Amino acid sequence: MPLYSSPDAILRREFLFTRAPFAQCHAATIEESKFGPVTAWFGGKHEDSPDVGIWLARLSGTKWTPPVKVATGTDPNCKREPCWNPVLFQPRTAPLMLFYKVGPSPMTWWGMLKTSSDGGQHWSSARRLPDGILGPIKNRPLQLPNGDILAGSSTEGKTWQVHFEKTTDLGMTWTKTAPVNGGVAIPAIQPSLVPMPDGRIVAIGRTKESYLFEITTLDDGKNWSPMSLMSLPNPNSGTDATMLRDGRAILVYNHLPAKSGVWGQNRWRLNVAVSKDLINWEAVAVLENHAKGEFSYPSVIQTADGLVHIVYTANRTRIRHVVLDPRRMAGKPIAGEFWPSK
């Protein structure tokens, strides 16, 4: 089916690779290092297979480097365990950080951290985060004006619970909040952090309630407002959001309803929306729109040249990369449950 977008907004659309040494891949993350854009994801035989590791590619000139495995997982007894959900983050005055999870499942995984001083070409040894700290669970953290790093995190036990973690020393020590939603009224995970011009930080993310959630802090993550549901649908699938330099928030998500009782379905359309107030949203692109398939788990950044880069899963076999020009992203109000296909 054809893609809808603002005129000429999409500048580039490609797969990071056409062949790979793994059967499946998922959960891509993108960041602009001091040496250029870098993308990572997990790949292996299938999700939760012990051979799953973290793979990485760098944008060198106009081409992505071939995938390279940069992390594998083992438990304290040296038993091989799968890796999950990498998150790349470039602090202002420190090496590139690679957070990821290791463990048999999301209910039992633990947080890991590596760093790179050359934009992802070489990496430090892996370091396990303190007990009870998972690090940013899917989406990039936010570096506050004072240098602290605030990460959106969550757990997937009997209930889905969102909490927030903070480090003042680049990941050596951490503090964390209690769960901010209780996991009862709104089971939720995987927050993105959007810093608003008025000083608020708004977290947006995934729920089991058919709509995205939002929650706000006025004091850099110490205290949070009650969690509420947004007007935008969520089919129990990962999202990402960030603030653009023109004052608009950008959100990448599956604008589809949840399919009751079916895990991971309704991920065949992937959308981009923008908003100045996080209340009124405008459609700017439909990146994927198919009769079936999975196009999910986006990661979005704005690079130093002003362009927007998005990476996401394409049918669990490839990672798609899309570049948009925000100057050409003239939105149209979102009306009704579904967007037009063109």
Side-chain angles (χ1 to χ4, degrees):
M1 294 183 182
L3 304 178
Y4 160 77
S5 69
S6 304
D8 303 318
I10 297 178
L11 305 181
R12 182 172 177 177
R13 188 168 181 268
E14 64 191 348
F15 290 120
L16 295 188
F17 50 84
T18 55
R19 293 184 179 181
F22 43 78
Q24 291 192 5
C25 56
H26 191 39
T29 174
I30 188 167
E31 177 63 296
E32 184 177 30
S33 77
K34 298 172 184 178
F35 298 82
V38 184
T39 297
W41 60 91
F42 71 73
K45 185 177 180 180
H46 55 76
E47 180 174 322
D48 79 14
S49 173
D51 74 309
V52 172
I54 305 299
W55 295 77
L56 181 138
R58 296 175 292 106
L59 188 58
S60 179
T62 60
K63 295 184 178 180
W64 289 95
T65 59
V68 175
K69 187 183 290 187
V70 295
T72 56
T74 57
D75 70 9
N77 296 318
C78 296
K79 177 185 175 184
R80 185 70 182 270
E81 298 287 1
C83 296
W84 310 74
N85 291 18
V87 178
L88 289 163
F89 181 62
Q90 178 62 71
R92 289 190 290 270
T93 59
L96 178 67
M97 307 175 84
L98 172 62
F99 297 93
Y100 58 102
K101 273 60 69 184
V102 173
S105 73
M107 285 71 73
T108 56
W109 62 22
W110 54 89
M112 301 291 294
L113 173 62
K114 285 189 167 190
T115 60
S116 172
S117 298
D118 56 10
Q121 297 181 64
H122 303 89
W123 290 92
S124 69
S125 299
R127 177 166 55 84
R128 182 166 174 166
L129 298 180
D131 289 347
I133 298 296
L134 296 172
I137 210 71
K138 176 194 173 293
N139 299 316
R140 293 166 61 249
L142 179 66
Q143 190 163 26
L144 303 174
N146 67 356
D148 293 354
I149 295 174
L150 177 67
S153 197
S154 56
T155 55
E156 301 178 42
K158 292 182 179 179
T159 59
W160 279 12
Q161 297 185 326
V162 169
H163 69 274
F164 296 90
E165 301 174 355
K166 184 182 289 187
T167 176
T168 62
D169 51 13
L170 298 172
M172 296 300 297
T173 61
W174 296 79
T175 58
K176 72 174 186 177
T177 69
V180 295
N181 62 318
V184 178
I186 303 177
I189 56 173
Q190 299 174 351
S192 296
L193 296 173
V194 182
M196 301 298 290
D198 60 9
R200 293 177 297 145
I201 300 172
V202 180
I204 297 173
R206 170 182 175 180
T207 81
K208 292 183 178 181
E209 297 300 305
S210 299
Y211 292 91
L212 298 174
F213 80 79
E214 64 179 359
I215 190 169
T216 301
T217 179
L218 302 176
D219 55 11
D220 291 338
K222 295 178 183 177
N223 298 283
W224 293 85
S225 69
M227 183 177 288
S228 60
L229 294 175
M230 300 172 64
S231 62
L232 299 175
N234 179 243
N236 194 355
S237 185
T239 69
D240 197 17
T242 192
M243 178 58 68
L244 301 177
R245 290 193 283 277
D246 64 11
R248 295 181 296 173
I250 184 169
L251 170 67
V252 189
Y253 69 114
N254 301 98
H255 190 97
L256 289 163
K259 190 172 183 179
S260 178
V262 181
W263 180 265
Q265 297 298 310
N266 278 17
R267 296 180 177 182
W268 42 264
R269 178 185 292 141
L270 190 65
N271 306 68
V272 182
V274 295
S275 175
K276 292 182 178 180
D277 57 10
L278 302 189
I279 298 173
N280 302 293
W281 290 88
E282 296 183 330
V284 295
V286 177
L287 302 179
E288 305 283 351
N289 190 20
H290 306 270
K292 60 181 180 179
E294 180 182 349
F295 303 89
S296 65
Y297 267 58
S299 176
V300 57
I301 61 169
Q302 185 175 30
T303 47
D305 59 9
L307 298 179
V308 171
H309 292 250
I310 302 169
V311 292
Y312 55 90
T313 297
N315 287 321
R316 297 273 177 153
T317 58
R318 299 192 212 179
I319 303 298
R320 178 87 79 180
H321 172 230
V322 177
V323 181
L324 297 93
D325 185 343
R327 297 169 298 180
R328 302 177 183 180
M329 293 193 318
K332 55 190 298 186
I334 297 174
E337 188 175 9
F338 303 108
W339 290 6
S341 60
K342 65 177 179 177

